[in-house]
Amino acid sequence: MALSLDAELEERFLAIAKRGRTAWLAGDIAEAEHRFLESWDMIPEPKSAYNY
């Protein structure tokens, strides 16, 4: 079974990932990449143990 982020961290993670998605849809690939990597870095190690 995959681990889950605690509620506060998940909320922050999803908000940043949403900003990345918005930037991507607007064509701002550099900003999207920055936000996606920022959200990825929020996931604790081992990242593969989480379902995100």
Side-chain angles (χ1 to χ4, degrees), residues 6-28:
D6 68 57
E8 181 182 324
L9 180 56
E10 183 174 26
E11 185 177 328
R12 290 189 352 248
F13 168 83
L14 291 174
I16 292 170
K18 183 177 179 179
R19 289 172 62 191
R21 177 83 170 161
T22 300
W24 178 46
L25 292 172
D28 189 348

